[in-house]
Amino acid sequence: MGHKVVVFDISVVRALWETRVKKHKAWQKKEAERLEKSALEKIKEEWNFVAECRRKGIPQAQYCKNGFIDTSVRLLERIERNSLSRPSSLAKDRGKQSNPFVFELSGERWKELPDSLKEQTHLKEWHICNTLIQIIPTYIELFQAMRILDLPKNQISCLPAEIGRLKNLKELNVSFNHLKSIPPELGDCENLERLDCSGNLELMELPFELSNLKQVTFVDISANKFSSVPICVLRMSNLQWLDISNNNLNDLPQDIDRLEELQSFLLYKNKLTYLPYCMLNLKKLTLLVVSGDHLVELPTALCDSSTPLKFISLMDNPIDKAQGQDDDEIMESEQERQHFDKEFMKAYIEDLKERESVPSYTTKVSFSLQL
């Protein structure tokens, strides 16, 4: 007996394939709807919208309410029209108020400060960034009216001892340079309120003399090589913000609760395995950011929803240094990565602060990308 051959009418075959095509189109439609509602697509849309707003100088408060971002195009156009109508007058007012006492310099063509600067001792602010300047001259002591030294992202390798003569200095930002030490004479700047030494990568300690800085409320020494919290920092009785993230901390001192005014404490990207019980004595602490990868022990009260503390545990995913690069290239790329990381965390924390209600415990995955 031969093989049985089934013969279909052509209309039957056509109907079969039409049914399959309809099912496939229906599946494609459902998949498109699923992607449209996907959280990843929503996040991508929001980040692109935020990037566009930042590029156009639109403040976050205009498009972000209680942690939710309004991504409508009409809102962007309306905000843009309103913001563009004001900047010229604001810029003029700002220029009239600050220019006579502010010195600004940027660009890699600058390898040293201009000679004419020495004669402008009336200046109250220096804003120098993204230059190839390596040395701050000793004549800085002549600028007795100096209140702000803003010197980020240069090639500065040391600070002169004469910086201690600036008795009116309020803010010092030497982040993302090449400092390996801080002069002890800085401790004589008793009116200093903000100190930012982040991103120098090789900084391992702060001089004990900085204990005299009782007016300091902000200290950022992140992205360096500190193995412990500096003693001088523990003696800054008015300190409210401390960022010592991305260092080599293995533990915290048992007298960390000496910082009675501390409100924000950033510890992520260290090697901490536990948090001491004395952390509960920091009654004004409202923000604590740690890395949860190695953390196995912490006071349970830190995660208690009845407290105002926002406890954030980040699960980090660091990448190794790229092979085939020399030390200078590695340091430069590492500084760029650390700078991006800080900007990301700054935006994330600001977003948390603007929310009316935030979980007391948040787990967030942070991806480190190498481009």
Side-chain angles (χ1 to χ4, degrees):
M1 188 175 180
H3 296 289
K4 290 183 178 180
V5 179
V6 180
V7 179
F8 289 96
D9 183 84
I10 189 66
S11 61
V12 176
V13 177
R14 178 181 178 182
L16 177 63
W17 279 105
E18 286 180 347
T19 302
R20 289 183 177 180
V21 169
K22 287 181 180 179
K23 287 183 178 179
H24 181 68
K25 289 184 176 180
W27 176 84
Q28 285 183 320
K29 184 178 180 181
K30 287 183 178 180
E31 184 67 10
E33 291 175 351
R34 184 186 69 81
L35 290 175
E36 186 177 350
K37 297 178 181 179
S38 168
L40 289 177
E41 287 294 318
K42 180 66 174 177
I43 291 173
K44 180 180 178 181
E45 180 186 0
E46 289 183 355
W47 272 103
N48 289 336
F49 184 83
V50 170
E52 179 68 12
C53 288
R54 289 186 176 179
R55 186 180 67 81
K56 295 181 178 181
I58 300 172
Q60 183 178 8
Q62 296 289 330
Y63 57 84
C64 183
K65 303 295 183 182
N66 301 327
F68 295 97
I69 298 175
D70 186 347
T71 58
S72 65
V73 177
R74 290 183 179 179
L75 176 67
L76 180 60
E77 293 175 349
R78 177 172 55 82
I79 294 175
E80 187 177 0
R81 285 197 302 268
N82 292 339
S83 60
L84 288 176
S85 63
R86 294 180 304 216
S88 56
S89 59
L90 289 174
K92 290 179 181 178
D93 293 340
R94 193 184 301 115
K96 291 178 181 178
Q97 294 172 4
S98 61
N99 278 348
F101 302 101
V102 176
F103 173 73
E104 296 181 345
L105 191 70
S106 64
E108 295 185 354
R109 63 192 179 92
W110 293 101
K111 296 183 179 180
E112 57 184 22
L113 294 173
D115 294 335
S116 59
L117 181 61
K118 187 176 181 179
E119 310 300 326
Q120 303 178 50
T121 56
H122 65 283
L123 292 173
K124 295 182 179 181
E125 299 181 16
W126 283 11
H127 297 274
I128 304 171
C129 66
N130 293 305
T131 73
L132 298 180
I133 293 174
Q134 299 182 23
I135 298 175
I136 299 300
T138 56
Y139 64 69
I140 194 173
E141 64 179 327
L142 301 175
F143 293 77
Q144 289 298 304
M146 185 74 72
R147 295 173 59 87
I148 297 177
L149 266 179
D150 187 32
L151 312 172
K153 302 182 72 174
N154 297 290
Q155 304 292 319
I156 301 171
S157 56
C158 64
L159 294 174
E162 285 76 9
I163 197 172
R165 307 274 178 83
L166 304 179
K167 302 301 181 181
N168 292 307
L169 189 63
K170 297 283 188 179
E171 300 181 17
L172 175 61
N173 180 2
V174 286
S175 62
F176 296 95
N177 282 282
H178 299 291
L179 296 174
K180 294 186 178 180
S181 64
I182 299 295
E185 288 79 8
L186 183 62
D188 295 331
C189 299
E190 297 180 353
N191 289 308
L192 193 68
E193 297 176 357
R194 295 176 63 91
L195 175 62
D196 190 345
C197 303
S198 62
N200 283 280
L201 303 184
E202 300 294 326
L203 198 59
M204 300 178 67
E205 60 182 11
L206 293 180
F208 180 78
E209 286 79 3
L210 269 59
S211 300
N212 298 328
L213 304 177
K214 302 301 183 183
Q215 302 301 317
V216 171
T217 60
F218 177 100
V219 170
D220 189 343
I221 51 176
S222 61
N224 284 294
K225 288 187 176 179
F226 287 90
S227 58
S228 62
V229 179
I231 294 176
C232 62
V233 171
L234 295 174
R235 298 186 176 220
M236 296 176 180
S237 53
N238 281 313
L239 192 61
Q240 298 176 11
W241 176 287
L242 175 58
D243 187 348
I244 194 170
S245 59
N246 210 344
N247 276 280
N248 296 323
L249 298 187
N250 290 308
D251 53 31
L252 294 177
Q254 293 298 322
D255 58 344
I256 191 69
D257 54 355
R258 295 178 60 170
L259 300 174
E260 297 179 355
E261 300 297 319
L262 193 62
Q263 299 176 13
S264 301
F265 197 6
L266 279 63
L267 289 164
Y268 63 96
K269 288 192 176 181
N270 279 290
K271 301 175 182 178
L272 298 172
T273 56
Y274 75 97
L275 297 179
Y277 189 79
C278 61
M279 292 281 292
L280 297 177
N281 296 328
L282 298 173
K283 303 300 183 182
K284 295 186 178 182
L285 190 64
T286 56
L287 177 66
L288 176 62
V289 185
V290 300
S291 284
D293 300 271
H294 306 290
L295 202 61
V296 296
E297 182 180 348
L298 68 154
T300 55
L302 287 177
C303 303
D304 190 348
S305 60
S306 64
T307 69
L309 176 65
K310 297 186 180 84
F311 180 84
I312 304 169
S313 177
L314 300 180
M315 299 301 176
D316 299 316
N317 183 26
I319 59 174
D320 296 328
K321 292 179 181 178
Q323 296 181 354
Q325 292 181 308
D326 58 34
D327 291 341
D328 291 337
E329 288 178 339
I330 290 175
M331 176 169 286
E332 184 176 353
S333 61
E334 178 67 10
Q335 282 192 322
E336 290 176 356
R337 189 173 69 84
Q338 297 295 351
H339 185 263
F340 175 83
D341 183 61
K342 287 188 69 65
E343 290 298 311
F344 175 83
M345 282 303 302
K346 180 180 177 181
Y348 177 62
I349 291 173
E350 286 299 319
D351 180 65
L352 283 181
K353 288 181 178 179
E354 289 187 4
R355 300 185 189 181
E356 291 183 353
S357 59
V358 180
S360 59
Y361 184 95
T362 305
T363 301
K364 185 176 185 300
V365 180
S366 174
F367 293 98
S368 295
L369 303 179
Q370 185 177 17
L371 302 178

